[in-house]
Amino acid sequence: VDTILHSIKNINIRGNLRFDAPLADLTTFRVGGPADILAHPEDEADVTALIEWARATSIPWMILGGGANILVSDRGIRGLVISTARLNRIRLEDGLLVAGSGSAISNLSARAADMGLAGLDFIYSMPGSTGGAVWMNARCYGGEISEVLAWVDYLDEEIGEDGTVRMVRRRLAPGSGDFSYKISPFQNRRCIILDSAYRLEPGDGRELWKTMREHEADRKSKGHFALPCAGSVFKNNRDFGAPSGKIIDSLGMRGMAIGGAKISDSHANIIVNAGGARAKDISQLIDLIRRRVLDELGYDLEPEVLRVGEWN
Ligand SMILES: Cc1cc2nc3c(=O)[nH]c(=O)nc-3n(C[C@H](O)[C@H](O)[C@H](O)COP(=O)(O)OP(=O)(O)OC[C@H]3O[C@@H](n4cnc5c(N)ncnc54)[C@H](O)[C@@H]3O)c2cc1C
């Protein structure tokens, strides 16, 4: 371990590194243990150097966006966690609004409205980063991120003849079928979304803000921001005839708790950290809901929240 730590301290990046770094406050559940190494790269060169180092030393790595859709285990994450927080530049380029992956998706929506650009108003006040929203193909209020996406620039691993891994920048201009319900093409490759560009229409800023405030108020009324959570725990499945929240409700599970983890009083498809929850509590509650819905109704709900780190 010491040699590894020594070798990463010698790589030359502008951003910073922390060791045994707590992650709970970087997630919306506010639970979970530390990362062995937490990196905050400043730019593409930093990300490249970090991943090439991780691949050369066989250290596992993962990308952390806004932490709004993950459950970090109590023991934390072994290896290198790369936060996109500082890759957060938003700019206009060739008539497209372009966002660094670490910019908050809600900030991007606000910037678009301030510029009089319509198309991202649906996603205002949703937690998380733009990179995470693209990776998850986030959707709400009748909109889906892929519908306004012009292109995505990402770093991809390329393995050379000598077996060394090099990161190369590629661009994906989404075609039909690349994205679907909560699915993006980035979910099945080891890559890092750097920038995403949006094709937006001229709109009236005041009207856009009115809609955006309504979405925010609606989320507040549903208790989204009252307690730490990660939004919907399970994906919806049309074949099951009702949204996952309704299905869970039909079993009278609302309010059920394990330790500090509780099925939200406001929405049965949301688990909240009602105070002092462990990741284990939340994980067990997810499993319990899934098992009961399967046993009693025959529907196998697919978790949307991703469990990351070291689990048993
Ligand atoms: C109160 C609340 C309400 C929510 N409402 C909604 C909703 O209405 N609709 C909805 O779709 N979701 C909703 N969510 C879930 C969450 O906001 C989205 O899934 C969001 O897109 C996650 O983004 P993130 O940056 O937080 O991703 P993270 O949780 O940090 O990461 C999620 C996954 O994406 C990967 N990832 C993140 N950034 C990158 C990158 N730059 N490159 C490669 N991989 C990356 C991570 O490695 C991880 O696998 C809600 C969450 C909360 C807390």
Side-chain angles (χ1 to χ4, degrees):
V1 175
D2 282 349
T3 15
I4 288 168
L5 292 188
H6 187 71
S7 79
I8 195 170
K9 282 176 185 155
N10 282 340
I11 66 171
N12 193 9
I13 59 167
R14 288 173 60 220
N16 75 348
L17 297 174
R18 290 171 59 199
F19 301 92
D20 201 24
L23 292 175
D25 284 347
L26 302 183
T27 74
T28 55
F29 265 135
R30 300 268 182 277
V31 301
D36 287 342
I37 309 167
L38 174 64
H40 277 96
E42 293 279 348
D43 52 29
E44 179 181 341
D46 280 4
V47 180
T48 300
L50 286 163
I51 295 179
E52 289 181 352
W53 169 82
R55 293 292 270 143
T57 49
S58 299
I59 298 290
W61 60 271
M62 74 159 271
I63 302 289
L64 173 69
N69 203 48
I70 54 168
L71 176 60
V72 176
S73 75
D74 293 311
R75 281 198 246 141
I77 303 179
R78 302 290 73 79
L80 171 66
V81 173
I82 302 172
S83 162
T84 58
R86 294 186 187 165
L87 309 173
N88 61 356
R89 206 158 70 88
I90 295 175
R91 69 265 182 199
L92 274 175
E93 243 178 64
D94 305 325
L96 299 173
L97 191 60
V98 180
S101 60
S103 53
I105 190 73
S106 191
N107 281 351
L108 183 67
S109 167
R111 284 283 289 278
D114 287 343
M115 291 178 191
L117 295 171
L120 280 167
D121 30 305
F122 71 97
I123 210 156
Y124 180 71
S125 78
M126 191 194 82
S129 66
T130 51
V134 170
W135 195 91
M136 295 295 302
N137 191 18
R139 51 159 31 227
C140 51
Y141 299 103
E144 188 172 274
I145 204 78
S146 61
E147 288 165 358
V148 276
L149 208 50
W151 50 254
V152 183
D153 276 3
Y154 62 100
L155 284 177
D156 206 7
E157 291 184 345
E158 197 172 78
I159 301 175
E161 276 170 19
D162 59 354
T164 56
V165 173
R166 237 171 30 98
M167 301 310 289
V168 287
R169 191 180 176 110
R170 298 192 204 281
R171 176 164 295 185
L172 177 104
S176 67
D178 282 345
F179 287 80
S180 55
Y181 173 71
K182 301 264 160 108
I183 298 282
S184 83
F186 303 103
Q187 292 168 6
N188 50 23
R189 58 180 98 169
R190 296 288 286 160
C191 69
I192 306 95
I193 296 162
L194 291 174
D195 290 302
S196 50
Y198 299 86
R199 193 166 281 123
L200 304 172
E201 301 291 330
D204 178 59
R206 280 233 296 271
E207 284 298 313
L208 292 168
W209 270 109
K210 191 166 161 278
T211 313
M212 286 152 60
R213 296 267 182 247
E214 282 165 13
H215 294 336
E216 185 179 32
D218 185 60
R219 285 185 185 273
K220 276 197 185 132
S221 76
K222 291 178 178 153
H224 279 198
F225 311 122
L227 287 167
C229 73
S232 298
V233 171
F234 296 100
K235 294 185 182 182
N236 290 320
N237 184 330
R238 256 195 220 138
D239 296 342
F240 300 164
S244 299
K246 282 237 162 68
I247 293 174
I248 299 164
D249 248 344
S250 75
L251 297 180
M253 296 185 84
R254 204 187 277 219
M256 190 174 277
I258 295 182
K262 185 179 167 198
I263 302 179
S264 166
D265 292 323
S266 336
H267 198 298
N269 196 21
I270 293 181
I271 291 179
V272 294
N273 174 357
R278 314 263 302 156
K280 183 166 63 86
D281 304 333
I282 297 172
S283 179
Q284 285 177 355
L285 194 50
I286 295 173
D287 291 341
L288 175 72
I289 298 171
R290 192 173 181 186
R291 203 167 49 240
R292 277 204 46 193
V293 171
L294 183 62
D295 288 351
E296 295 180 34
L297 301 169
Y299 302 140
D300 191 10
L301 297 179
E302 183 188 346
E304 175 169 332
V305 168
L306 305 164
R307 282 175 257 215
V308 299
E310 212 183 345
W311 296 89
N312 283 334

